[in-house]
Each structure stands twice: as structure tokens, then as C-alpha cells.
Amino acid sequence: MAAAVACLRAGGLVGLPTETVYGLAALAQSEDAVRRVFSVKGRPADHPLIVHLAQASQLPQWGRDVPEYAQRLAWRLWPGPLTLVVPKQESVPDLLTGGQDSVGLRVPSHPVALTVLTGCGPLAAPSANRFGRVSPTSAAAVAEELATHLDERDLILDGGDCAVGIESTIVDCTGGSPRVLRAGFYSDDVLEEASGVALSQPQGVGAVPRVSGSLAAHYAPRTQVTLMSAGDVSALPDSRVRTAWLLAMSSEQVAAEVAPRRATRPGTADEYARTLYATLRSADHSDVAEVIAVPPLGGGIAVAVRDRLRRASAGSGSQTAT
Ligand code: TXA
Ligand code: MG
């Protein structure tokens, strides 16, 4: 962690563990380092980055006229898997915000991330994957995504497997009430309870430009991902199931005669989220022709898992990495 702080201070990039997914971090105040984040990721310049802070008390340095409900969210749910989009202070560079007049802020709860943030100050960090691909949830996955694009100035910190496994909930706090831009760990109920106000309804995919996670085909592996119910899986021909990887909750009943060679059977929606990206990644390394996923039912993080599965399915099956 000390080496990571030194690396960041010298303008290098760090693959940084957080509780959601690994980030590719640069000192928020270093324009050159932040520019390299965009090129290493292959990310369009108008996509804003999340600025990671060590503590909620730093919110007023970045956000201007932050609504009271947003302050309540920050104080109640930070550190944690939550990003707040708030009106930005004039001093916040356009490079970080994609030219928008708002900035995304988050205090992660991973102890390694907090230690590094305390040592070197605010860090701009998108997920540490190439643009459009599956977010990394381990240090090895960061290396797989980015090693050929990083150089001797940079390093990857190993903080173990991410506890949440999917990206933070993003809440737009620029209006009269909070609005979820990207589903995540926190359910609407928790957000309403913590903010003290009712959520505005989401405006749907495409209504919010420049939230890259809102593109239909995002978080996509190369292997084809197909979504279906357990009943439909049971009706598939044996030839198709034998070459596939089945991903379904252990509570889902799949006919016994359907015998996939490989199956991942999370017992809870939390476990589904935690293992989802690693499963998609291993499928890309294997000879399976298809991942057949039965989405988890219910609210809370299951909503976010269904969202990521839909996007993985929309963008999957392409042989060309972006
Ligand atoms: O869990 C996470 O949020 C991870 C970890 C590393 O913190 N980070 C992450 O960053 O997922 P990224 O860049 O892959 O996704 C952040 C999303 C992007 O879709 C970006 O467009 C959106 O946040 N975003 C950031 N600032 C925004 C703003 N001012 N307005 C609207 N969307 C914003
Ligand atoms: Mg991302």
C-alpha cells in the first residue's frame, strides 16, 4: 500500500481493490495520469470518472449546493458501494466529469482502498477493465485486462476477491429527489430510508447519456450469454446443454436429465453477484460455447444482477475485444 501511494504520487496508475470491483486509479488532481486512465481503458473522453474519497467530510470540496438528501445518503451509507452524482464545484476539472456540471463521488469501504486514499488524497478510478468488457473482481483479472497497457510506472494491488462483485449503485442527486442511474447493492427501500425522500423513477436506458454502464451492451464477455427460465433450460436439447455452462440459483429446479458439464449454483443473490463476473471470465477461458443464465428473482441486489446479465447478454458473443 505504501508503494501504491508512492506510485500514485509519482503520476502512476494503480489497480485498486474496492468492495465492488477493482478500479484503475490515478491521482484526481494529476491531469496526465487521468489522461492515461482513459487511454489504458480505451474509454471515450466524454465518459466521466468516479472520484473516490477517503471520507464523507470531503464531499463539500467536490460537490456544490449538495442537497440535504444526498448528504444524508453520504453520511448513512459511506463508506460503501454507493456513488453520488452531485453538482460539481467549479474547481473540478472537465476531464473528470466528461464536461458535465456534475461529479460522481464515492467513499469505498475496502480497507486497502481507504488506506491508499488516506495516504494520497482523492483518486479518479473507473473499473479496471477495457471499455465495454466485464469488470475485474480480482487482482489477476485486472492483470488479464490491462497488463499489456500498463507500464513500469504502474502497479496492481492485490486485495483479494471483491466482496460485492458488481459495481456501485449510482444515484443522481442533481434534482429535487434521488434517482438511480445504475442499480447495485443497495435496494430502493434502503436508499429511500437513508435519504428520507422517495426516489424519482428511472428514465430508462439511453435517457442518461454518458453513464457508460447504461449502454445496452456493456459488461460483456466474449462467450455468448443466453438468459432463460429454469423450465426453458430443462426443455433444451442435450447437445446444447452439454456444451454450455449453466448459471442458476441452487433453488432453481432444472430437470435431472439436463446434465451440463459445468454449473455454478449460487445459494443467494449476494453470492450470485459476487461470483458473476468471475464466472463470465472463466467461461471466456474455457471451451464452453455458451453461458446459459437463469436470472435470480426478487429485489435488492437481484435487481442489479438481472441488469448486468441483460447487458452481458446484449453484448456477448463478439470475438473482437474493444
Ligand atoms: O463500483 C464502482 O463504482 C467502481 C469502483 C472502482 O469504484 N467504479 C466504476 O467506475 O464502476 P466506472 O467508470 O466503470 O463506472 C462509473 C459510471 C460510468 O458509467 C460513468 O459514466 C458514471 O459512473 N458517472 C460518473 N460520473 C458521472 C456523472 N457526473 N454523471 C453521470 N454519470 C456519471
Ligand atoms: Mg466500468
Side-chain angles (χ1 to χ4, degrees):
M1 288 181 265
V5 169
C7 158
L8 288 159
R9 283 196 181 140
L13 307 185
V14 169
L16 184 74
T18 83
E19 74 280 23
T20 55
V21 301
Y22 275 70
L24 178 65
L27 270 199
Q29 69 200 40
S30 166
E31 198 180 311
D32 288 348
V34 173
R35 279 191 200 290
R36 274 190 66 224
V37 168
F38 282 93
S39 70
V40 166
K41 263 191 75 93
R43 182 176 189 155
D46 63 349
H47 282 256
L49 302 180
I50 295 173
V51 176
H52 295 67
L53 307 173
Q55 39 192 356
S57 61
Q58 293 169 298
L59 178 54
Q61 292 162 33
W62 292 83
R64 183 178 44 84
D65 303 329
V66 177
E68 271 179 35
Y69 70 78
Q71 296 182 36
R72 284 194 292 272
L73 284 171
W75 286 107
R76 291 281 301 280
L77 301 180
W78 281 351
L82 172 71
T83 297
L84 301 177
V85 172
V86 298
K88 76 175 190 75
Q89 290 287 8
E90 255 167 51
S91 53
V92 180
D94 279 348
L95 183 61
L96 296 176
T97 66
Q100 308 193 70
D101 48 17
S102 61
V103 61
L105 301 171
R106 151 165 145 78
V107 178
S109 64
H110 196 296
V112 171
L114 285 173
T115 301
V116 174
L117 283 163
T118 303
C120 65
L123 296 172
S127 53
N129 51 281
R130 294 282 289 165
F131 184 66
R133 310 307 312 188
V134 174
S135 298
T137 55
S138 67
V142 177
E144 174 189 313
E145 284 285 321
L146 300 180
T148 57
H149 301 272
L150 296 173
D151 62 35
E152 65 290 340
R153 285 169 287 183
D154 312 317
L155 65 85
I156 298 170
L157 264 182
D158 190 347
D161 291 346
C162 298
V164 175
I166 57 174
E167 304 79 1
S168 61
T169 307
I170 303 182
V171 179
D172 178 5
C173 301
T174 60
S177 53
R179 188 163 54 97
V180 175
L181 298 179
R182 182 174 71 184
F185 178 78
Y186 291 117
S187 67
D188 290 1
D189 291 350
V190 171
L191 296 171
E192 292 194 334
E193 202 274 320
S195 67
V197 289
L199 299 177
S200 313
Q201 284 318 298
Q203 291 178 351
V205 171
V208 191
R210 305 216 200 98
V211 178
S212 56
S214 73
L215 301 176
H218 214 75
Y219 313 114
R222 290 181 188 88
T223 309
Q224 173 65 43
V225 178
T226 311
L227 309 187
M228 58 178 81
S229 69
D232 289 346
V233 175
S234 302
L236 289 176
D238 188 60
S239 56
R240 179 151 167 210
V241 179
R242 286 204 155 272
T243 57
W245 194 317
L246 178 66
L247 173 54
M249 298 279 289
S250 54
S251 55
E252 295 285 2
Q253 300 294 318
V254 176
E257 56 273 20
V258 180
R261 280 183 310 156
R262 276 172 271 218
T264 307
R265 294 191 158 280
T268 61
D270 284 339
E271 189 186 341
Y272 205 129
R274 190 163 61 243
T275 53
L276 175 62
Y277 289 156
T279 300
L280 297 179
R281 234 168 240 290
S282 352
D284 278 351
H285 288 293
S286 73
D287 57 353
V288 295
E290 181 182 18
V291 173
I292 297 173
V294 180
L297 302 172
I301 202 167
V303 175
V305 172
R306 291 197 295 274
D307 166 79
R308 302 305 191 276
L309 281 173
R310 266 195 306 275
R311 297 179 203 286
S313 143
S316 62
S318 139
Q319 293 307 309
T320 43
T322 53

